[in-house]
Amino acid sequence: MIFDEMACRCGEWLRGSGPESDIVMSSRIRLARNLAEYPFIRRCNDFDRVNIEASVRERLEQSGDFEDFTFIDVAELDNLDRQLLVERQLISRELSDAEGARAVAIDEAERISLMINEEDHLRLQVMKSGLDLDEAWQQINAVDNNVEQQLNYAFHPDLGYLTACPTNVGTGMRVSVMLHLPALVIAGQIDKVFNSLQKINLTVRGLYGEGSQAMGDFYQISNQVTLGKSEESLVEHVGSIVPSVISYERKARDVLIKDGNHDLFDQVSRAYGLLQNAQQISSEETMHLLSKVRMGINLGLIGDLEIPEVNKLFIQTQPAHLQKLRGGLPDSANRNRARASYLHRHLKRPKFGEDPAESN
Amino acid sequence: MKCQKCDKLATFHITDLSGDQLLALHLCAECVKEYLQPDETPPPAAKVVSNVISKQLKLEQTTEELAELDHKECPVCGISFYEFRQGGRLGCPNDYVFFANELEPLLNNVHGSVEHVGKKPMRGPHDTQPQTELIKLRREMKDAVDREDYELASELRDRIKSVEGESQP
């Protein structure tokens, strides 16, 4: 089954490569589109939803531009598989929790996902590892052009692409960059950064988008305005601000290191120790501790672990991934024990003097 | 005493009276900050929309005007203005035309603009208003079926087929 294979892989946004990837986890662009001949989702009856899904799927499958995409009927999936797709950011929580006909098409590399019957009829999304907005825009624009060959998008000469929520009308575009900002959090500077971002029409969200809390010091910065600016200038706007946030985070890290901040060193070591030795651990605590360890690696405080390995642990210790990898584990107490033993196996390093190489 | 949320020393001892039961809390200086000022996540977009509209309406309309506006219904999808401002989501593409006057201040407020300057579809019409006819016809057909008026329903079905034929990409 595709989902079992998926759970073993890291996926695009946690690949841990690409420009500035010590701080920038991923770059993402999504476009909201609707079919002209149907009401928006909230006014659709069951029959409309089925027709939208079937016609989008049929047109895209026929076109030849989407041959390496897998179409997944989300309504048919069980909770676990839906949750797995949410954790991998291939579908939104809204699509997962909705009712009625809905689907997603995902490309082989898990970079592109096309959600059908989300808040809008279509949500096209491209994800890239690291800071790579220009490339993300080129890709999503090409996907959009291909889809548009097959379907009539609702479009108004003055207002552009029409969307269910007026906050998305015009370009229908949301440009997001996900950043790991632990040093700014420790330095107590994060609110200041967010306030200044809000003044220039950028919004800040937690790891899983709208309404989600910031977990493990991950934050998504994205554009608020979608009307009255071209797609290129929106990409430019977000893209021009991110480097200064990155440089604030780097400065905060430098200061922490230079001051010989013992609290910081202690926090990193404790986090690493807990992850290696805990007997049971929740996914929230794991995220929180992995975040500290990730920063510790970037600051050179931990020498025997690499970023891609940590990124893999971030995704594979989430509830649905853990259940897929270990099988069973429906209750969270068992899961917390399985998570601890999983972390133990992946993080336990030979103790000094026990190194098998040394004993030879 | 240790903090209930982490392992540091609890220096704040709080009795919370806001819930159904008394709640005794022992927290450290850091966790108390979080407890008293929980992280403010931005409200969901739909909430933003309904808040902005309510504010805007209070400024501009009398109660009678507001009641009348709330009853205004899109002839294509049937959504009332009241339903839109409660849920923050529109019902169909025609709402942007039908509620244009009401939406304009909202769009200005959110986007600072009411004019799209980005990409346009490369193919086909740059105004899909005529296609919204299909939404209306389908709704009328469903109503006819519900009323068991099969003659009207089959007439509508034929009209839908012919409009669909014209608008195929």
Side-chain angles (χ1 to χ4, degrees), chain A residues 224-294:
Chain A
Q224 197 186 328
V225 168
T226 57
L227 180 64
K229 292 201 164 62
S230 71
E231 288 81 359
E232 286 81 3
S233 75
L234 290 174
V235 168
E236 220 272 322
H237 181 49
V238 177
S240 67
I241 298 308
V242 169
S244 36
V245 180
I246 295 174
S247 80
Y248 291 138
E249 170 68 17
R250 287 204 204 289
K251 259 180 226 152
R253 290 180 184 188
D254 286 349
V255 170
L256 291 176
I257 285 287
K258 215 176 282 161
D259 290 357
N261 191 319
H262 291 291
D263 282 350
L264 171 76
F265 300 162
D266 183 58
Q267 278 187 30
V268 170
S269 301
R270 275 170 186 270
Y272 198 21
L274 269 174
L275 289 169
Q276 286 170 325
N277 294 302
Q279 297 292 312
Q280 49 189 7
I281 189 164
S282 70
S283 66
E284 290 78 25
E285 188 180 5
T286 305
M287 281 282 251
H288 176 73
L289 297 174
L290 280 173
S291 167
K292 295 238 157 36
V293 166
R294 192 178 191 278

Side-chain angles (χ1 to χ4, degrees), chain A residues 90-102:
Chain A
L90 293 169
I91 65 172
S92 61
R93 220 169 269 280
E94 176 153 352
L95 189 79
S96 167
D97 297 347
E99 277 173 22
R102 58 202 194 278

Side-chain angles (χ1 to χ4, degrees), chain B residues 74-127:
Chain B
C74 169
V76 169
C77 69
I79 196 174
S80 68
F81 191 74
Y82 177 77
E83 284 172 273
F84 162 58
R85 75 181 176 87
Q86 285 301 101
R89 307 259 163 96
L90 292 164
C92 78
N94 187 60
D95 295 346
Y96 281 98
V97 178
F98 187 70
F99 295 120
N101 291 336
E102 291 76 24
L103 284 172
E104 190 174 316
L106 170 73
L107 293 176
N108 259 321
N109 190 311
V110 174
H111 301 287
S113 166
V114 287
E115 200 169 349
H116 177 56
V117 295
K119 163 172 195 186
K120 292 183 171 69
M122 293 186 302
R123 176 196 57 79
H126 283 175
D127 183 356

Side-chain angles (χ1 to χ4, degrees), chain A residues 39-75:
Chain A
F40 294 142
I41 288 295
R42 66 167 288 174
R43 297 295 289 186
C44 279
N45 55 38
D46 293 347
F47 193 58
D48 291 328
R49 291 181 72 115
V50 169
N51 278 341
I52 293 166
E53 196 215 312
S55 67
V56 170
R57 183 171 178 158
E58 187 189 307
R59 295 298 182 88
L60 298 190
E61 280 180 335
Q62 276 172 5
S63 79
D65 291 316
F66 298 90
E67 270 168 2
D68 70 330
F69 281 70
T70 307
F71 281 81
I72 300 168
D73 183 347
V74 176

Side-chain angles (χ1 to χ4, degrees), chain A residues 126-347:
Chain A
V126 165
M127 252 187 309
K128 305 284 292 177
S129 192
L131 181 60
D132 203 358
L133 288 174
D134 290 329
E135 184 63 27
W137 163 237
Q138 301 296 334
Q139 282 189 11
I140 198 69
N141 192 27
V143 169
D144 184 47
N145 290 341
N146 288 338
V147 175
E148 187 226 292
Q149 293 300 315
Q150 308 301 325
L151 301 161
N152 286 325
Y153 284 154
F155 192 85
H156 184 280
D158 297 330
L159 294 174
Y161 295 94
L162 302 178
T163 52
C165 188
T167 55
N168 293 320
V169 75
T171 56
M173 182 158 95
R174 190 80 62 219
V175 182
S176 313
V177 177
M178 185 149 57
L179 299 154
H180 186 222
L181 304 173
L184 284 172
V185 174
I186 291 174
Q189 300 286 307
I190 198 89
D191 290 341
K192 232 198 243 169
V193 173
F194 292 169
N195 288 338
S196 48
L197 289 174
Q198 264 146 21
K199 281 186 197 126
I200 51 170
N201 284 328
L202 295 176
T203 48
V204 182
R205 297 192 175 95
L207 182 56
Y208 285 99
E210 196 166 271
S212 72
Q213 294 271 339
M215 267 196 292
D217 307 322
F218 290 108
Y219 296 92
Q220 283 188 63
I221 295 176
S222 52
N223 62 302
Q224 197 186 328
V225 168
T226 57
L227 180 64
K229 292 201 164 62
S230 71
E231 288 81 359
E232 286 81 3
S233 75
L234 290 174
V235 168
E236 220 272 322
H237 181 49
V238 177
S240 67
I241 298 308
V242 169
S244 36
V245 180
I246 295 174
S247 80
Y248 291 138
E249 170 68 17
R250 287 204 204 289
K251 259 180 226 152
R253 290 180 184 188
D254 286 349
V255 170
L256 291 176
I257 285 287
K258 215 176 282 161
D259 290 357
N261 191 319
H262 291 291
D263 282 350
L264 171 76
F265 300 162
D266 183 58
Q267 278 187 30
V268 170
S269 301
R270 275 170 186 270
Y272 198 21
L274 269 174
L275 289 169
Q276 286 170 325
N277 294 302
Q279 297 292 312
Q280 49 189 7
I281 189 164
S282 70
S283 66
E284 290 78 25
E285 188 180 5
T286 305
M287 281 282 251
H288 176 73
L289 297 174
L290 280 173
S291 167
K292 295 238 157 36
V293 166
R294 192 178 191 278
M295 177 179 62
I297 298 171
N298 284 326
L299 294 177
L301 302 174
I302 293 175
D304 58 359
L305 192 62
E306 306 274 341
I307 291 287
E309 178 71 16
V310 176
N311 287 351
K312 199 165 126 186
L313 296 177
F314 267 116
I315 189 89
Q316 294 189 339
T317 54
Q318 304 230 3
H321 276 78
L322 199 67
Q323 287 181 71
K324 276 282 166 197
L325 291 167
R326 296 289 309 268
L329 306 172
D331 72 297
S332 66
N334 277 332
R335 227 163 33 233
N336 289 349
R337 280 195 291 277
R339 183 176 294 111
S341 85
Y342 178 88
L343 287 164
H344 180 84
R345 262 187 296 121
H346 283 80
L347 292 174

